Amino acid sequence: NAGVMQNPRHLVRRRGQEARLRCSPMKGHSHVYWYRQLPEEGLKFMVYLQKENIIDESGMPKERFSAEFPKEGPSILRIQQVVRGDSAAYFCASSPRTRTSGNTIYFGEGSWLTVV
Amino acid sequence: ILNVEQSPQSLHVQEGDSTNFTCSFPSSNFYALHWYRWETAKSPEALFVMTLNGDEKKKGRISATLNTKEGYSYLYIKGSQPEDSATYLCAFIGNQFYFGTGTSLTVIP
């Protein structure tokens, strides 16, 4: 049973380009979370999705950032017109369901975005 | 967005010392609290799932307690070893997972 798979692991983009980060949750998991780790900071919640639904996007910047989790295929975090401040590690996590005692969240190994 | 706070932010201890750190969270709408261990260049891994006020969990030399009424959890490490060096994250589970900023522990041999 493969874990949470993220790709690419490392991505370099020039300012103004688009970045697309993909996350395939663990088999059987229908909930996906995206977190961002900025240098010297902890994990900051960005967005929580279920298949074809955005449940909570309160942590997403209002502009340039979007996320989706289609019926088929991985979840995608998309950053348009990247700026230097977007450079960070982006972690995806999945769980079967949130509100079930004992269910923990499983993380991917992260995607490191560098904007030059 | 909900605030989950951890203190201290970082900690250096000598091998063999015992240590503890704190996670503070809102006491309302509590569903569960998780502790995760995060080593550099790896993904965070779950240590404990705690759901009931007064819960105490233990795994080897690491243990955790939970007080949901006052909104805090303690993580204890007894007889710290260099391999315990990592960042320890707590996550408050309400509508979804809210992580604290972590406590970075360095155990000096």
Side-chain angles (χ1 to χ4, degrees), chain A residues 90-111:
Chain A
Y90 292 83
F91 285 88
C92 169
S94 73
S95 71
R97 292 193 300 276
T98 299
R99 295 184 66 84
T100 301
S101 156
N103 275 340
T104 56
I105 192 172
Y106 295 84
F107 282 87
E109 294 188 329
S111 290

Side-chain angles (χ1 to χ4, degrees), chain B residues 54-86:
Chain B
D55 250 357
E56 290 189 31
K57 300 270 179 161
K58 188 173 180 185
K59 188 182 288 188
R61 294 178 291 98
I62 304 177
S63 60
T65 61
L66 178 67
N67 184 323
T68 59
K69 292 186 179 177
E70 296 181 38
Y72 64 84
S73 175
Y74 292 135
L75 190 79
Y76 301 90
I77 302 179
K78 186 177 177 182
S80 304
Q81 299 297 308
E83 58 264 30
D84 296 329
S85 298

Side-chain angles (χ1 to χ4, degrees), chain A residues 37-56:
Chain A
Q37 184 197 19
L38 292 166
E40 308 302 321
E41 294 187 21
L43 286 173
K44 298 290 186 186
F45 168 74
M46 297 183 75
V47 62
Y48 162 36
L49 309 106
Q50 294 177 26
K51 287 279 187 183
E52 301 184 280
N53 277 317
I54 295 175
I55 307 302
D56 183 346

Side-chain angles (χ1 to χ4, degrees), chain A residues 2-61:
Chain A
V4 179
M5 305 298 291
Q6 289 189 245
N7 70 83
R9 292 294 311 280
H10 299 274
L11 184 64
V12 179
R13 284 287 177 266
R14 295 186 184 279
R15 279 178 294 173
Q17 290 185 316
E18 178 179 288
R20 283 192 182 215
L21 310 177
R22 292 175 204 80
C23 170
S24 296
M26 283 182 74
K27 189 175 179 182
H29 286 192
S30 57
H31 294 227
V32 165
Y33 311 81
W34 284 95
Y35 293 86
R36 175 164 65 172
Q37 184 197 19
L38 292 166
E40 308 302 321
E41 294 187 21
L43 286 173
K44 298 290 186 186
F45 168 74
M46 297 183 75
V47 62
Y48 162 36
L49 309 106
Q50 294 177 26
K51 287 279 187 183
E52 301 184 280
N53 277 317
I54 295 175
I55 307 302
D56 183 346
E57 57 180 348
S58 56
M60 289 274 273

